[in-house]
Amino acid sequence: MAQLFVATLGQHPEAITVALDILKTRFQHDEPFAGVAILHTEPSISGIAPAFEALKRILHKDYRDLEIYFHELCFVDGAPLIDITDQGSATAYFNAVYSVLRHYHDTGYTLQMLVSGGRKAMSIYATLAASLIFDQRDRVWVVLSPPELISQRGVYHIPHGMQDQVHLVALPIRPQFTGHEHFRPPLPIDASQLVERDIGAEFMHILSKQERVLAELLKQHPYLTAATLAFMLFKDKRTIENQLRHIYNKMVGFVEYPVPAAHKRQVLLDILNNRS
């Protein structure tokens, strides 16, 4: 049975190839590695585009013996995930990771998953997803390396003489028992079952896919002008202004009270951040 290396991608893709090198050496006499699966959010808007492109190049260049798979994690309706910013995006991220891991595990792969190099919240949710799927064969790993190696961008393999300073450590997750499928929860998980009420997620649900992307970006960058938002989303300024107008119209119906024009953006941000 072949092994599959799975990794969540953040701002530090170097950790991914460092871990892969160690695992290939560690398991060279066991099951062979058949491929690499990279789990990532939408690259250009979430800010990981440089890491995404660099990792893609190095994987295809230095690991030609492995199949390379990239999985963009999305909301259930296909809208892109940018970051974990509220209960809705957290649930969507968890469900998306769970679905990918479940697919590969049910296919028969032994999974070796790395959760280093990305944002902490994403690593936590990925580890939780793995704990519901993995059995005795599978492992979740983190890379521990000296600060001078971490700070060097573009170091995709351990430099000569530093092998003893880099450690790959398995997280102590409790594996599932093989064959007991009923222990694994169905998807998607309903966010309303996890919290009393998530106003931001409720409002996002009534937006279109494109409006949701714009609202997520505005939530992360609340002071950007329409022109800058348009530039970041590769759209015309008038298109962004029209989308904002539609969002504000939906917002007025959502809160059911008059919103002064001068305060529309602030009220929107309050809703998105569950302050309303």
Side-chain angles (χ1 to χ4, degrees), residues 24-95:
K24 289 188 70 177
T25 299
R26 187 174 297 184
F27 294 108
Q28 59 182 321
H29 300 302
D30 298 319
E31 301 169 346
F33 275 90
V36 176
I38 305 299
L39 282 54
H40 62 90
T41 51
E42 200 289 330
S44 59
I45 304 175
S46 62
I48 63 167
F52 177 80
E53 293 299 331
L55 180 63
K56 187 186 297 185
R57 286 195 300 272
I58 202 73
L59 287 176
H60 287 294
K61 172 178 174 290
D62 293 352
Y63 302 92
R64 297 181 180 178
D65 59 322
L66 301 178
E67 293 289 336
I68 310 298
Y69 310 99
F70 284 88
H71 296 275
E72 181 178 334
L73 307 176
C74 303
F75 284 90
V76 67
D77 64 356
L81 262 170
I82 302 174
D83 195 2
I84 294 179
T85 56
D86 55 24
Q87 186 62 56
S89 55
T91 300
Y93 185 87
F94 174 86
N95 286 339

Side-chain angles (χ1 to χ4, degrees), residues 41 73-76 79-97 119 121-122 125-126 189 191 194-195 198 200-202 204-205 212 216 219-220 272-274:
T41 51
L73 307 176
C74 303
F75 284 90
V76 67
L81 262 170
I82 302 174
D83 195 2
I84 294 179
T85 56
D86 55 24
Q87 186 62 56
S89 55
T91 300
Y93 185 87
F94 174 86
N95 286 339
V97 172
R119 294 173 179 170
M122 294 181 174
Y125 277 99
I189 291 175
L194 304 178
V195 292
D198 189 337
E202 289 179 20
M204 282 289 198
H205 185 69
R212 183 178 296 171
E216 285 280 1
K219 181 179 178 180
Q220 293 186 44
L272 295 177
N273 289 284
N274 282 306

